Amino acid sequence: MVKKKQLRSHCPINFGLEAFGDKWTLLILRDIVFRGKRTYGEFLKSEEGFATNILASRLEQLLENGILKKEPSAEDARKDSYSLTEKGLDLIPLLFEMVLWSAKYDRRSEAHRIPKLVELIKKNNRKISSEVREKVLRGEAIVKDYLEK
């Protein structure tokens, strides 16, 4: 049985930071939502270069915090497949707000490659988040749908 660690405080920002607030954890969430990644091996291939111990630690943390769930992969039962729980799916609007922030302040942001999605988020984050949620539940990558052709 895993013992839950004590929160430093019940400040709402601290709660989020302790659940999903480091850069590696956010990149795992990005890979699931935007790129449709599901397995340890797929996460390991991320361009930022996860160290194996960091990846394993962050996946475990997301499982313990109820943001991810793990099941045997449908394609290969020797592998585990990670997906977002309801609690994790509720982070999609937050990730989208981060996309908007990046588009505004980073002139080289890859957000500029997905102008269609950026505009939809600006127009109505909750609505597009709800639509994207269904794709994420099916394990689909969403970025390809919004890339500028």
Side-chain angles (χ1 to χ4, degrees):
M1 174 133 194
V2 177
K3 184 179 178 184
K4 279 280 207 188
K5 71 178 184 179
Q6 194 77 359
L7 291 176
R8 289 180 292 219
S9 76
H10 289 279
C11 160
I13 303 301
N14 181 65
F15 179 78
L17 285 173
E18 291 198 29
F20 59 84
D22 71 83
K23 63 183 176 182
W24 299 111
T25 303
L26 287 167
L27 292 174
I28 292 168
L29 297 174
R30 176 215 49 201
D31 283 353
I32 291 171
V33 172
F34 291 92
R35 298 176 177 163
K37 293 184 179 185
R38 293 287 179 265
T39 66
Y40 183 89
E42 290 172 334
F43 297 129
L44 207 52
K45 293 177 186 172
S46 294
E47 65 191 74
E48 291 82 9
F50 281 102
T52 56
N53 62 323
I54 297 293
L55 178 56
S57 168
R58 295 321 185 270
L59 288 169
E60 190 60 35
Q61 178 186 2
L62 287 164
L63 289 166
E64 288 174 10
N65 285 319
I67 294 170
L68 288 184
K69 61 184 174 186
K70 177 173 72 169
E71 301 169 329
S73 171
E75 292 83 41
D76 184 349
R78 296 171 297 172
K79 295 181 181 179
D80 290 320
S81 178
Y82 295 89
S83 58
L84 295 174
T85 62
E86 188 69 24
K87 187 176 179 180
L89 290 164
D90 284 344
L91 291 171
I92 292 172
L94 177 72
L95 294 174
F96 281 177
E97 288 298 327
M98 292 176 78
V99 168
L100 293 181
W101 187 82
S102 173
K104 183 175 181 178
Y105 293 107
D106 178 6
R107 64 181 174 80
R108 295 178 55 199
S109 173
E110 289 186 11
H112 300 299
R113 293 180 52 218
I114 50 173
K116 186 172 148 187
L117 178 58
V118 170
E119 283 307 311
L120 289 168
I121 296 168
K122 282 181 186 175
K123 189 175 181 179
N124 190 339
N125 186 346
R126 289 290 174 183
K127 182 174 187 264
I128 191 65
S129 292
S130 179
E131 293 169 8
V132 163
R133 175 188 197 100
E134 297 306 314
K135 291 181 179 199
V136 172
L137 281 170
R138 292 190 301 267
E140 298 175 16
I142 66 159
V143 170
K144 64 180 174 23
D145 296 339
Y146 300 100
L147 283 173
E148 192 68 17
K149 303 286 185 226

